[in-house]
Amino acid sequence: MIPEINTTEDILAYLDSIPTVSTEDLHELEKTIRSFDDNPAFQADYYKGLFVNSVLDGMAKHSLSQSEVSRRWGKTRQYLHRILDESAKVNFTIETMVELAMVVGKRFKLELTDALPTAVFVKMSTPRRLAVPLASAHSSVSSIVGYLSNDDQCLIQGVLPTPEVAASCSAADSNVLALAA
Amino acid sequence: MRVELHEIPGLDDACQTVWKVRSLAIEGKDSVQAALVEWQKRYPNELKAIVKVMKLATQQQRVQNPKHVKKSSNPKHVDAYEMIARTGVCRLMFFYDEQNASIIICTNPFEKGGDQDAAFARCAALRDLYFQHKP
C-alpha cells in the first residue's frame, strides 16, 4: 500500500523513504545505459518499438481497426497482431515494413547514420594534456568543441575514425591531442 | 520546497527529439534515480525495457502502444502515465510538461503487484507540487 501525499508531512515522510544514491552508483548506471546503444539486440528491439508505434499512430489517425488493416494488406489478423506485439517470432523484413507503412497511410524511411566519433583531434596553441569529461566526449563533436573553447584557444581539425589513427596523429605532432571517447 | 529536474544518466539530449526526459527531485531526493539504480542490480533486463520506453517516448508526440505506456484511467489523476517494462514488474510514473518546454517528468517508480492506483495518485500529487514550486 502506497501512502497518499496530501500534506507537507506526507511529502516529508515520502522523501525520507527515498534511499540516497551514491555518485558511484550513478556513474555505473550511466555506463550501463550508454552500453545499450552498442547492443544490437537492444537497438533492434527499440527500432521495432518505434516502427510499431508509428503504425499504431497511422491506424489511430485514419481510424483503422486491425481487421481493416489486415484486410487491406492481404494478411491474416493473427500475423498483423504478432507484428504489433513486436513478437520475436516475426521477421520485420524491409518488404513487410514498407507494405504495412503504406497500408496505414505512412511512408517507410530508412537511414544509416555515422556512429559517434571514437576520437577527435585538436590543434592547440601549446602542447598540453587535457581531460575531457566522459559525458562530453560521448555526446558529440560540437559538445567537445564547446568544452574546449572555454578552456583554450584551439582549432578542431577533424574527426578521426579510430583511436589508432588518433594515436598515430598525436605521436606525429605534439600540438595535436587525440581525445578518445 | 526545492524542486529540481535531473537528466537520466546515460541518455543524451541529442537523441531526445520531441521530448526531453527528466526525473523529479524534491529537496535533492530523486526516487526515480534511486529506482533505476536498484533495478540495474535486481532486474537488469527490465531496466533495459524501461530505457527502451523512455527513448520511444522522447521521439514520439505520444506513445500509442499500450504495452509500453498507459494513461491512468482514474479521472482524478489528470494526465498521469506509466512506462511499462513488458513482461516484467518495473513501472515509472510520469507526466508531460508542455507549459514552458517539452519535458517528460518521471515522478516515482512502481512495481507490479502493488497498489497501482496509489502510485498514479502519487504521480499526480508530485506533478501538482512540481507546478507549484518549479523555478
Side-chain angles (χ1 to χ4, degrees):
Chain A
M1 178 75 182
I2 297 173
E4 286 194 16
I5 299 182
N6 291 321
T7 63
T8 307
E9 288 73 36
D10 294 336
I11 294 166
L12 294 174
Y14 170 65
L15 294 177
D16 270 348
S17 72
I18 299 171
T20 308
V21 179
S22 70
T23 313
E24 290 76 29
D25 280 341
L26 283 180
H27 185 62
E28 197 56 38
L29 179 66
E30 178 179 351
K31 257 172 50 183
T32 300
I33 292 180
R34 281 195 194 287
S35 74
F36 296 159
D37 283 339
D38 295 324
N39 178 334
F42 177 85
Q43 286 284 304
D45 194 42
Y46 165 68
Y47 282 109
K48 274 185 193 176
L50 209 53
F51 174 77
V52 167
N53 201 68
S54 293
V55 171
L56 291 170
D57 186 59
M59 289 169 65
K61 268 187 191 145
H62 299 284
S63 306
L64 293 169
S65 65
Q66 288 194 25
S67 303
E68 181 58 17
V69 171
S70 54
R71 189 190 66 75
R72 290 186 189 186
W73 192 17
K75 308 277 186 191
T76 64
R77 218 157 59 92
Q78 289 79 2
Y79 180 67
L80 175 65
H81 178 78
R82 286 204 299 275
I83 289 198
L84 297 182
D85 199 37
E86 298 171 39
S87 167
K89 292 174 187 159
V90 175
N91 274 335
F92 279 69
T93 64
I94 300 275
E95 287 80 2
T96 302
M97 292 192 283
V98 169
E99 286 172 13
L100 185 50
M102 286 182 170
V103 170
V104 299
K106 302 250 184 190
R107 287 294 179 270
F108 183 76
K109 187 175 151 195
L110 182 65
E111 185 185 16
L112 299 185
T113 57
D114 290 331
L116 287 174
T118 53
V120 296
F121 72 102
V122 188
K123 185 144 186 156
M124 297 187 293
S125 49
T126 52
R128 58 193 286 266
R129 305 289 312 164
L130 185 70
V132 174
L134 190 65
S136 299
H138 266 287
S139 298
S140 64
V141 174
S142 60
S143 70
I144 297 173
V145 174
Y147 181 81
L148 290 173
S149 60
N150 291 331
D151 189 70
D152 197 352
Q153 288 186 331
C154 59
L155 177 67
I156 301 293
Q157 294 197 313
V159 179
L160 299 176
T162 66
E164 289 74 28
V165 177
S168 66
C169 282
S170 56
D173 183 344
S174 64
N175 279 5
V176 172
L177 178 64
L179 305 167
Chain B
M1 196 148 282
R2 186 163 52 94
V3 168
E4 297 167 293
L5 296 178
H6 290 161
E7 291 185 11
I8 305 295
L11 272 193
D12 287 329
D13 269 2
C15 306
Q16 302 176 36
T17 50
V18 179
W19 300 91
K20 308 287 181 213
V21 64
R22 298 287 185 264
S23 58
L24 180 65
I26 303 165
E27 298 295 332
K29 291 289 198 92
D30 185 331
S31 65
V32 172
Q33 275 189 353
L36 294 176
V37 165
E38 176 71 11
W39 291 343
Q40 178 187 11
K41 294 168 187 161
R42 282 173 57 209
Y43 308 112
N45 283 334
E46 297 200 24
L47 174 70
K48 216 179 266 184
I50 284 286
V51 170
K52 171 189 160 181
V53 177
M54 269 187 200
K55 290 182 72 158
L56 288 174
T58 63
Q59 302 202 343
Q60 314 276 321
Q61 201 51 44
R62 286 291 186 274
V63 176
Q64 299 282 354
N65 195 338
K67 285 172 180 145
H68 295 318
V69 168
K70 263 189 197 155
K71 187 177 178 181
S72 171
S73 54
N74 186 336
K76 279 197 285 187
H77 301 153
V78 195
D79 290 338
Y81 297 80
E82 66 171 344
M83 297 182 189
I84 301 167
R86 271 189 79 185
T87 70
V89 298
C90 301
R91 311 282 187 265
L92 266 189
M93 285 17 203
F94 72 98
F95 64 92
Y96 292 93
D97 176 7
E98 297 178 83
Q99 288 190 0
N100 296 321
S102 299
I103 312 178
I104 288 172
I105 298 171
C106 301
T107 52
N108 54 307
F110 169 67
E111 290 187 13
K112 194 177 166 187
D115 186 341
Q116 188 193 37
D117 196 60
F120 273 128
R122 171 169 290 174
C123 175
L126 291 170
R127 183 197 54 223
D128 293 346
L129 194 71
Y130 165 78
F131 282 120
Q132 279 169 31
H133 295 278
K134 79 174 194 175

